[in-house]
Amino acid sequence: MRTVTRRRFMAGAGCVALGAGLAGSGRGVAAVPLAPPANPHVGRTVPLRLVAAERPRALPCFAGKTLPMWSFSDQTWLPVVRIELGDRLDVVLDNRLPRAGEHTSVHWHGIRLPNDQDGVPYLVQPPVDPGQSHRYDFVPPDTGTFWFHTHCNTSEQLGRGLMGILIVEGDTIEPYAADETIVLRDWRIDLDAGAFTDFTTERGAHRAGTYGNVRSANGMAEAEVRLPASADCRLRVLNCDPTRIMEVAVDGAEAAVIAVDGVAVPPFALDGWLLGPAMRVDLVVRAPAPGASARLVDRRGAEPLPLVRLVGAGAPRPPAPFDPLPLRAGRIPEPDLSAAETLAFTFASIQDAAAVAGDDPLAQLAIGSLCLAREEFWTINNLSWPGRDHSVIPPPLAVLDRGRSYLFRLKNGSRLHHPIHIHGHTFKVLRSDQQALAPHHADTLILLPGETVEVAFVADNPGRWMFHCHIIEHQESGMMSFLEVA
Ligand SMILES: [Cu+2]
């Protein structure tokens, strides 16, 4: 039995209309803006040195084996960078990866930053070769839970662990009793040999992706997080896996969603949230009583899979109704739907595209030429990105007028799920033809098999922005393109 009372919604929002299905599964209920954001301020300059290198490590989930991980830091396999809204990040990336030609870059996932800071090699910056350095320098414009990863040979570089977390603070109205980050991902390991297995397989690329065989939360197979007993605690849950889509839920405690991809939503009861690769969800969980525990689980399999044990610690507290505090509203520009231009995009495999093309000889001809390509299997609007990397840049999928509002009709023409990611912008998610969807924001959203989802946004960030599936093997076998905002 999960309920969320209305009082806090009213306090936080002034006027909020709640949908009927508070505990509806999936993506929640109607959301309306919260209080206006705090004024931006010019904060500190935060230096950050990221040294991409091989550092053998034995994470707790590796069952005693040491693996040739790639990471950004000597201190930790997973840097967690916390800054305040208004702070400037001054980053030096050094590439010390151990293989000739293994260039790298850093993409700041979900951050609406200037195009030349977006970290896509060839498209917006030169690739950073081993022995070279590159500087990133930007002020993130939004609060929230983000992460960063490379945009080069991503299946292997991310597969070996090259990633980090970026948290931009400043979205709380009152602090929660705790603020914990939970990073979910798999590893592809031969535990007998103590070696990584193939980061990509042809079979996986043509299907739902190559799943890892060792699952982890914060590098642990049986993670435990201690929370102040009976208090309301924030959990920032990130899916940093290259492949796996999860359905996160909390068993044994009340929980509410308070942000999606870093952007606040009025709190609604969590009853399973589909979290694809690169997606984030912020929760408020009522911590268990002292010594009691609850579980963060993945419900996508036949049985709920425990991911994290949440343990109540400290002095008992008097019981109180679960009434989670909302976050401050995001500052994503509101698209003008009355003036928006509608563009349609279909995500499919080459076979799907061929089936859709039917008897049209011209379409068949175009698809026939695509089939000649070696590595491409997936398409956006019948087009595959050429090759696995970014060294050959095709024309943009669309050229958007800077400042104009767009409505994208995103259709999944395949029988698999695809988490679709846009760089440099954040979508307002409007509606689906398969499920009741709350208006919420997302930089990465799952398209169910056959589903069409409409999203809208203001194309206010000039430059060349990647637009791709975040199942990395789908991305690297064609389901990738870019949009030009000019
Ligand atoms: Cu995909």
Side-chain angles (χ1 to χ4, degrees):
M1 163 89 178
R2 294 189 179 91
T3 55
V4 179
T5 65
R6 284 175 176 241
R7 181 176 61 79
R8 194 75 79 179
F9 289 69
M10 302 308 243
C15 177
V16 170
L18 273 178
L22 240 192
S25 83
R27 294 179 188 155
V29 299
V32 299
L34 300 173
N39 288 327
H41 66 283
V42 177
R44 306 164 298 164
T45 294
V46 178
L48 179 63
R49 184 125 186 270
L50 300 176
V51 182
E54 181 165 307
R55 299 179 181 88
R57 274 180 203 279
L59 296 188
C61 64
F62 293 168
K65 292 294 195 315
T66 297
L67 285 152
M69 291 184 72
W70 291 0
S71 59
F72 282 122
S73 165
D74 288 334
Q75 278 75 46
T76 172
W77 74 277
L78 182 64
V80 178
V81 180
R82 277 184 181 260
I83 62 173
E84 290 282 334
L85 185 64
D87 285 350
R88 165 175 237 115
L89 265 182
D90 183 357
V91 186
V92 176
L93 166 69
D94 285 333
N95 184 352
R96 295 192 191 158
L97 293 175
R99 185 188 297 153
E102 187 69 34
H103 66 250
T104 194
S105 70
V106 177
H107 168 58
W108 310 88
H109 187 110
I111 305 282
R112 298 184 301 131
L113 38 57
N115 192 230
D116 61 358
Q117 305 298 306
D118 194 44
V120 180
Y122 302 103
L123 191 72
V124 304
Q125 68 163 81
V128 184
D129 282 314
Q132 291 185 341
S133 295
H134 187 83
R135 189 143 186 201
Y136 297 94
D137 184 357
F138 58 92
V139 181
D142 301 303
T143 55
T145 304
F146 305 97
W147 68 303
F148 52 95
H149 59 83
T150 76
H151 224 280
C152 311
N153 186 19
T154 311
S155 50
E156 176 170 8
Q157 294 190 9
L158 180 58
R160 287 179 182 268
L162 203 50
M163 55 188 260
I165 309 302
L166 175 58
I167 291 170
V168 184
E169 312 237 35
D171 55 6
T172 52
I173 292 169
E174 283 174 38
Y176 300 95
D179 182 342
E180 298 282 347
T181 302
I182 295 175
V183 178
L184 305 174
R185 63 161 297 165
D186 302 350
W187 305 90
R188 294 190 48 70
I189 304 174
D190 179 336
L191 281 174
D192 292 330
F196 286 116
T197 53
D198 290 343
F199 297 103
T200 179
T201 63
E202 193 177 323
R203 180 185 160 85
H206 286 197
R207 296 171 192 238
T210 307
Y211 287 84
N213 57 325
V214 172
R215 303 190 61 169
S216 70
N218 296 349
M220 288 172 272
E222 293 167 11
E224 181 176 301
V225 173
R226 291 168 71 80
L227 300 172
S230 309
D232 288 349
C233 301
R234 181 178 190 169
L235 301 184
R236 302 171 186 263
V237 183
L238 301 95
N239 181 346
C240 296
D241 195 68
T243 307
R244 187 184 296 275
I245 295 169
M246 310 179 199
E247 184 185 345
V248 296
V250 173
D251 284 349
E254 291 179 294
V257 174
I258 56 167
V260 175
D261 283 0
V263 185
V265 296
F268 61 86
L270 171 69
D271 186 21
W273 186 263
L274 272 189
L275 200 65
M279 295 166 67
R280 293 88 65 208
V281 64
D282 284 39
L283 309 176
V284 168
V285 174
R286 171 62 57 85
S293 66
R295 303 186 310 174
L296 183 76
V297 298
D298 175 7
R299 277 195 195 157
R300 194 128 190 271
E303 294 287 318
L305 184 99
L307 299 168
V308 181
R309 197 160 162 258
L310 306 167
V311 181
R317 260 169 234 253
F322 183 54
D323 191 11
L325 274 167
L327 295 169
R328 289 183 193 280
R331 40 178 68 191
I332 312 298
E334 184 66 21
D336 177 359
L337 293 178
S338 67
E341 182 181 346
T342 298
L343 298 177
F345 299 96
T346 299
F347 300 81
S349 73
I350 284 174
Q351 282 95 322
D352 296 324
V356 169
D359 297 331
D360 180 347
L362 278 178
Q364 292 286 9
L365 203 63
I367 290 157
S369 67
L370 279 175
C371 288
L372 297 176
R374 297 177 323 281
E375 295 166 311
E376 294 84 1
F377 181 74
W378 294 100
T379 67
I380 307 176
N381 285 0
N382 289 346
L383 298 168
S384 288
W385 185 272
R388 289 185 69 238
D389 66 9
H390 302 75
S391 57
V392 177
I393 307 275
L397 189 61
V399 178
L400 310 181
D401 292 337
R402 183 179 177 182
R404 183 156 191 193
S405 291
Y406 287 87
L407 189 152
F408 279 9
R409 192 165 288 143
L410 308 174
K411 178 177 171 55
N412 184 349
S414 83
R415 277 164 285 180
L416 299 173
H417 292 60
H418 299 287
I420 303 303
H421 173 45
I422 187 171
H423 287 212
H425 299 80
T426 301
F427 289 138
K428 179 175 186 179
V429 181
L430 300 177
R431 64 190 76 87
S432 154
D433 67 348
Q434 284 194 16
Q435 53 180 326
L437 274 190
H440 66 274
H441 291 84
D443 54 61
T444 310
L445 68 130
I446 290 179
L447 297 180
L448 304 175
E451 186 183 31
T452 297
V453 176
E454 290 186 347
V455 299
F457 69 109
V458 183
D460 59 353
N461 202 353
R464 306 206 285 176
W465 301 105
M466 298 302 295
F467 184 44
H468 62 86
C469 181
H470 222 287
I471 291 176
I472 303 299
E473 286 167 290
H474 292 177
Q475 175 191 358
E476 292 181 342
S477 56
M479 197 176 274
M480 170 158 64
S481 192
F482 78 93
L483 305 164
E484 182 154 6
V485 177

